[in-house]
C-alpha cells in the first residue's frame, strides 16, 4: 500500500546504488523533481530505463548517476542531441555509459509483459532491422501454432519505477490525466514505485475511464508541486519550451552544465 513520504525520504529509502530505475512520462508529466533528488543524493551505478530519454536523463547521466541506459529514442525534443549523454557514450565523461537500444514497439511490449509478470514480450518486429546486430536481447522465436517468425525481448521489470501525476487522494490512489505514456505499466512492472504528484486531495475527481493507479500498486507517494517542470502537467502548467532550447547550449559545455547543476539542483534544491 502507498505510503506518503517526502520526496527526499522516498528516494533515500527506495532507490539504491546499482538499482534498475525506470522514469516514465511521454512529453508530459516527466518526473524532473524526482530526477533532481536522485542527483542530489548522488545515487550511482544506476541502470536507467526510459522509452524517450530527454533532459531529465541528460542531467542524471551528466551528474554521474548512470552506468547503463535502456531506451528506444533519445534527444532534446524539437531541438537536437542530448550532449551529456553523447559525452558519456563517446568520451566516457563523467563515466562510460553502456547503451541498449530498442524500438518503441518493443519497449512498450516489454513494459506490458513486465506488468503482467511475464518473462518476455513477443511482437511482430525487427525483421530486416539492424538493431538485432547490436542488441543481444533481441531474439527470434517460432510461433508454436502458426510457425511464424516473431521477435522476443526480455520484459522490463525495474527495481524502481518513478512517475509524476496530477493528484493523489488520501487513501493513496493516483490520477493520471492527459497524454499517458507507459506510466501505468511501468508502476505495475516494478518491485517498488515512487509517484510524485502536484497535490494531495480528498477526492480525485476522476472521470469515467480515467487512468487511476491504485494504492496497492504504489510504494511511496511524494507531493511535489511543479514536479514535472520544464515539461508540463495538464491542468496545472504549460511546457517551458524556452528552457528546452536553452538546455542545448548549457549541456554542450561541461563547465556550463556543472554550473547549472550546482545552481539549480544542489544549491536551490531543484527549484
Amino acid at each position: 500500500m502507498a505510503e506518503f513520504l517526502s520526496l527526499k525520504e522516498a528516494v533515500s529509502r527506495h532507490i539504491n546504488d546499482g538499482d534498475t530505475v525506470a522514469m516514465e512520462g511521454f512529453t508530459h508529466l516527466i518526473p524532473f523533481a524526482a530526477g533532481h533528488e536522485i542527483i542530489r543524493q548522488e545515487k550511482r551505478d544506476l541502470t536507467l530505463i526510459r522509452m524517450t530519454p530527454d533532459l531529465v536523463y541528460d542531467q542524471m547521466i551528466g551528474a554521474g548517476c548512470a552506468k547503463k541506459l535502456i531506451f528506444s529514442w533519445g534527444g532534446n525534443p524539437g531541438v537536437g542531441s542530448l550532449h551529456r549523454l553523447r559525452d558519456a557514450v563517446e568520451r566516457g565523461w563523467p563515466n562510460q555509459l553502456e547503451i541498449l537500444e530498442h524500438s518503441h514497439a518493443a519497449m512498450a511490449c516489454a513494459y506490458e509483459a513486465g506488468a503482467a509478470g511475464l518473462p518476455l514480450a513477443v511482437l511482430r518486429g525487427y525483421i530486416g532491422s539492424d538493431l538485432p546486430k547490436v542488441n543481444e536481447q533481441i531474439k527470434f522465436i517460432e510461433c508454436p501454432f502458426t510457425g511464424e517468425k516473431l521477435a522476443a525481448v526480455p520484459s522490463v521489470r525495474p527495481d524502481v519505477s518513478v512517475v509524476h501525476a496530477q493528484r493523489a487522494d488520501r487513501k493513496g490512489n493516483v490520477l493520471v490525466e492527459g497524454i499517458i505514456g507507459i506510466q501505468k505499466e511501468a508502476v505495475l512492472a516494478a518491485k517498488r514505485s515512487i509517484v510524485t504528484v502536484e497535490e494531495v486531495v480528498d477526492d480525485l475527481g476522476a472521470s469515467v475511464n480515467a487512468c487511476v493507479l491504485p494504492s496497492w500498486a504504489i510504494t511511496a507517494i511524494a507531493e511535489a508541486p511543479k514536479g514535472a517542470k520544464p515539461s508540463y502537467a495538464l491542468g496545472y502548467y504549460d511546457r517551458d519550451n524556452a528552457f528546452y532550447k536553452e538546455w542545448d547550449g548549457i549541456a554542450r559545455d561541461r563547465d556550463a552544465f556543472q554550473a547549472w547543476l550546482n545552481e539549480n539542483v544542489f544549491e536551490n534544491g531543484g527549484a
Side-chain angles (χ1 to χ4, degrees):
M1 299 296 288
E3 182 179 12
F4 287 90
L5 300 171
S6 69
L7 181 54
K8 181 177 181 180
E9 187 174 5
V11 169
S12 175
R13 189 183 299 184
H14 296 298
I15 299 180
N16 306 306
D17 290 350
D19 274 351
T20 297
V21 180
M23 301 178 68
E24 287 295 346
F26 187 67
T27 78
H28 172 237
L29 297 175
I30 298 171
F32 276 92
H36 292 171
E37 185 58 39
I38 291 169
I39 292 171
R40 280 192 292 275
Q41 294 191 23
E42 298 184 333
K43 301 296 182 179
R44 292 293 181 263
D45 297 323
L46 302 178
T47 294
L48 297 178
I49 304 175
R50 182 168 165 77
M51 288 185 68
T52 56
D54 49 18
L55 272 57
V56 67
Y57 273 16
D58 209 29
Q59 293 165 7
M60 293 171 66
I61 290 165
C65 298
K67 68 175 182 181
K68 183 176 182 179
L69 175 66
I70 301 172
F71 71 110
S72 53
W73 176 90
N76 183 342
V79 180
S81 292
L82 295 175
H83 301 294
R84 292 301 90 223
L85 188 158
R86 289 191 63 164
D87 204 6
V89 172
E90 296 172 1
R91 290 174 286 276
W93 192 92
N95 44 258
Q96 195 67 46
L97 183 72
E98 181 185 352
I99 59 173
L100 195 64
E101 184 177 359
H102 279 288
S103 68
H104 275 333
M107 287 284 287
C109 289
Y111 269 118
E112 289 178 344
L118 297 172
L120 80 164
V122 178
L123 66 149
R124 285 192 177 98
Y126 288 133
I127 305 297
S129 168
D130 282 340
L131 274 176
K133 298 177 183 178
V134 295
N135 184 342
E136 62 183 12
Q137 286 191 349
I138 301 168
K139 307 293 185 182
F140 292 96
I141 62 174
E142 181 179 296
C143 173
F145 303 105
T146 66
E148 181 181 3
K149 184 179 181 181
L150 299 169
V153 295
S155 60
V156 170
R157 306 188 76 175
D159 293 312
V160 192
S161 284
V162 182
V163 301
H164 187 72
Q166 278 91 351
R167 318 188 264 287
D169 66 22
R170 302 190 193 283
K171 295 180 181 179
N173 304 299
V174 169
L175 176 67
V176 187
E177 292 185 304
I179 293 176
I180 299 173
I182 205 75
Q183 291 101 313
K184 176 181 68 176
E185 290 81 3
V187 168
L188 292 173
K191 297 174 185 175
R192 305 182 299 279
S193 59
I194 298 171
V195 181
T196 56
V197 295
E198 291 295 321
E199 60 178 334
V200 178
V201 296
D202 293 326
D203 187 336
L204 290 178
S207 60
V208 176
N209 293 327
C211 180
V212 176
L213 303 176
S215 177
W216 59 261
I218 300 167
T219 307
I221 296 172
E223 193 170 20
K226 298 185 178 180
K229 271 191 163 294
S231 74
Y232 73 102
L234 181 71
Y236 289 82
Y237 45 86
D238 294 331
R239 188 178 190 267
D240 186 354
N241 292 317
F243 181 78
Y244 281 80
K245 295 178 181 178
E246 292 168 8
W247 183 252
D248 187 70
I250 294 166
R252 282 180 183 272
D253 181 78
R254 293 176 184 176
D255 291 337
F257 165 72
Q258 290 183 307
W260 180 89
L261 203 65
N262 288 333
E263 180 180 352
N264 294 278
V265 176
F266 288 105
E267 294 177 6
N268 293 330

